[in-house]
Amino acid sequence: MRLLVTGGCGFIGANFLYAMRQRHPDWLLVNLDKLTYAGNPGSLRALENEAGDRYVFAHGDICDRKCVTAILNDHKINAVVNFAAESHVDRSIDDPSPFVVTNVLGAQNILDCARRAKVGRVVHVSTDEVYGSLGPTGQFHESTPLAPNSPYSASKAGADLLARACHETYGQDIVVTRCSNNYGPFQFPEKLIPLMYAKATKGESLPVYGDGQNVRDWIFVDDHCRGVELALLKGRAGAVYNFGGASEMKNIDVVRTILRLTGQDENLIRFVADRPGHDKRYAMNFDLAAKELGFAPSVSFAQGMERTIAWYQANSVWLDEVQSGAYLTFMDRWYKERT
Ligand code: NAD
Ligand code: DAU
């Protein structure tokens, strides 16, 4: 396999590249990443050192037709996994524009270039947030109508519909995956779990939105990566697959777990103004992925959190390095406005 992975310097992309290198050492892995504030080439240093000519990094934008086409042709790519995106809901509330550019136009460019270059398969990585919000019961199925509530999820839903249209119109080989909340190594500390870890270890207050009762279905990142790999290797062209962790947790309980694992006091918890349009609950039904792909999450929330906290403890330099520049500018303003 000669695989193009986009957004490989981000959280899930980096974990995916390491997993593919380990399980398929003969594959060529090409990583196209724009290196936005969320892209960190340092996350892939070990892969770069170890993989030799089986790993190539290309600095570029998925919106750039010339760049994407050249990569597909020069490396004779036969499959693409598109992770590249603007991924943080709060930033999309602050400014939706870059989300529409990368998540809609960039995704469309990837689909278009792949079709013209006759690439075999595109796996488009999407999210459970395209379904909107659940009440206290029920689950999202692949047939649940799309009802995105944030600019981020609307942009992801737009790309999902383009992927569907390309399959229907051109017969293009595209598989869409929708996963619930990931956590694990290399996650950028603007997202709940690494943010709360970073704040707890500095003894800073932990900003919980609203009443902390919102529920997310947490999945350890390795399990998501396995799902994407299965979709790439075994997915049905034109299919959509849900992945979830079967691990529903209230935000406040996630925060308490982090405080317990870091030995910090619950007095650090501070309830702040809610996220506008905050989805109440996500829960994924992944029966289809279980049946057609053999997908099942293998890491419990307790195991995954222990591994995650241990990783952040052992990688404090990585964490310090990413908490600078553009990161601080947004975070300072965002949280000042909420407290
Ligand atoms: P991330 O923000 O950590 O990483 C995104 C990466 O994409 C970064 O390396 C960034 O530099 C790169 N990028 C951004 N714009 C680009 C562009 N125009 N061209 C090339 N590269 C660009 O994101 P993540 O959390 O790793 O999410 C990866 C994908 O998985 C996204 O598509 C996201 O929607 C999806 N997803 C994430 C989760 C989650 O819990 N994090 C869950 C389900 C789906
Ligand atoms: O569900 C999949 C999605 O999960 C992905 O598509 C997104 O890319 C990813 O960012 C994530 O979105 P969420 O909005 O669910 O994740 P986040 O970590 O931002 O927030 C998780 C929950 O924690 C959410 O209910 C909001 C809450 N929260 C978050 C932050 C950053 C807080 O209470 N305080 C905070 O400071």
Side-chain angles (χ1 to χ4, degrees):
M1 173 94 72
R2 305 175 69 83
L3 182 67
L4 172 63
V5 174
T6 69
C9 296
F11 161 47
I12 306 172
N15 281 283
F16 182 77
L17 283 166
Y18 278 110
M20 293 311 99
R21 174 70 195 147
Q22 196 181 34
R23 293 203 276 272
H24 307 283
D26 55 321
W27 287 10
L28 174 72
L29 300 170
V30 180
N31 170 19
L32 169 63
D33 199 297
K34 185 179 170 184
L35 300 182
T36 67
Y37 77 94
N40 185 355
S43 301
L44 294 167
R45 209 65 79 210
L47 178 71
E48 232 161 37
N49 292 337
E50 177 274 325
D53 66 359
R54 295 286 80 195
Y55 172 70
V56 176
F57 173 62
H59 184 195
D61 191 331
I62 60 165
C63 301
D64 180 342
R65 173 168 295 213
K66 261 195 188 159
C67 163
V68 174
T69 302
I71 289 170
L72 296 177
N73 291 331
D74 292 354
H75 296 287
K76 299 186 174 52
I77 295 297
N78 45 32
V80 179
V81 177
N82 184 28
F83 286 106
E86 289 293 338
S87 69
H88 191 36
V89 173
D90 294 337
R91 285 180 192 259
S92 82
I93 293 166
D94 190 56
D95 180 8
S97 309
F99 287 76
V100 175
V101 173
T102 287
N103 299 1
V104 182
L105 298 178
Q108 183 264 330
N109 189 49
I110 289 287
L111 295 168
D112 208 31
C113 294
R115 186 175 67 257
R116 289 170 202 272
K118 299 194 176 8
V119 163
R121 162 158 291 186
V122 178
V123 176
H124 176 71
V125 179
S126 187
T127 169
D128 61 355
E129 299 201 6
V130 297
Y131 298 121
S133 186
L134 289 165
T137 58
Q139 291 182 315
F140 294 131
H141 294 251
E142 287 82 355
S143 57
T144 302
L146 303 191
N149 290 320
S150 71
Y152 161 71
S153 51
S155 68
K156 294 296 289 184
D160 286 19
L161 294 178
L162 284 166
R164 177 193 149 84
C166 285
H167 175 72
E168 293 297 324
T169 304
Y170 309 110
Q172 207 173 340
D173 181 348
I174 302 168
V175 179
V176 173
T177 65
R178 295 183 182 142
C179 190
S180 60
N181 284 65
N182 286 221
Y183 66 103
F186 299 116
Q187 188 168 31
F188 201 74
E190 63 189 356
K191 308 288 164 53
L192 181 72
I193 289 176
L195 176 78
M196 297 297 167
Y197 169 83
K199 286 188 174 295
T201 50
K202 285 186 245 167
E204 294 177 4
S205 62
L206 310 189
V208 175
Y209 296 160
D211 59 7
Q213 297 300 303
N214 302 64
V215 171
R216 297 291 182 264
D217 174 359
W218 293 96
I219 181 169
F220 191 64
V221 64
D222 286 1
D223 282 330
H224 183 195
C225 291
R226 178 73 183 136
V228 172
E229 178 189 12
L230 289 167
L232 174 66
L233 296 174
K234 296 169 66 174
R236 203 169 16 90
V240 175
Y241 295 103
N242 283 355
F243 302 132
S247 243
E248 283 186 56
M249 298 278 295
K250 290 179 180 162
N251 291 341
I252 190 67
D253 294 330
V254 173
V255 172
R256 287 198 179 111
T257 304
I258 294 165
L259 289 170
R260 183 173 48 74
L261 290 171
T262 53
Q264 296 288 355
D265 197 281
E266 290 201 9
N267 290 334
L268 289 178
I269 294 173
R270 176 121 139 252
F271 292 97
V272 301
D274 208 351
R275 172 187 278 175
H278 197 175
D279 288 336
K280 188 70 186 173
R281 176 173 163 262
Y282 305 145
M284 285 302 249
N285 180 292
F286 50 84
D287 287 352
L288 184 69
K291 188 170 151 223
E292 294 193 6
L293 307 178
F295 169 82
S298 65
V299 181
S300 70
F301 187 73
Q303 290 167 333
M305 281 302 283
E306 280 191 15
R307 281 165 66 175
T308 301
I309 300 299
W311 186 87
Y312 280 97
Q313 284 167 340
N315 290 274
S316 55
V317 174
W318 181 94
L319 190 57
D320 289 343
E321 274 174 11
V322 298
Q323 292 179 96
S324 61
Y327 168 82
L328 284 176
T329 318
F330 170 77
M331 299 294 276
D332 284 351
R333 182 164 48 77
W334 178 260
Y335 287 100
K336 213 169 274 164
E337 285 166 7
R338 325 219 80 64
T339 48

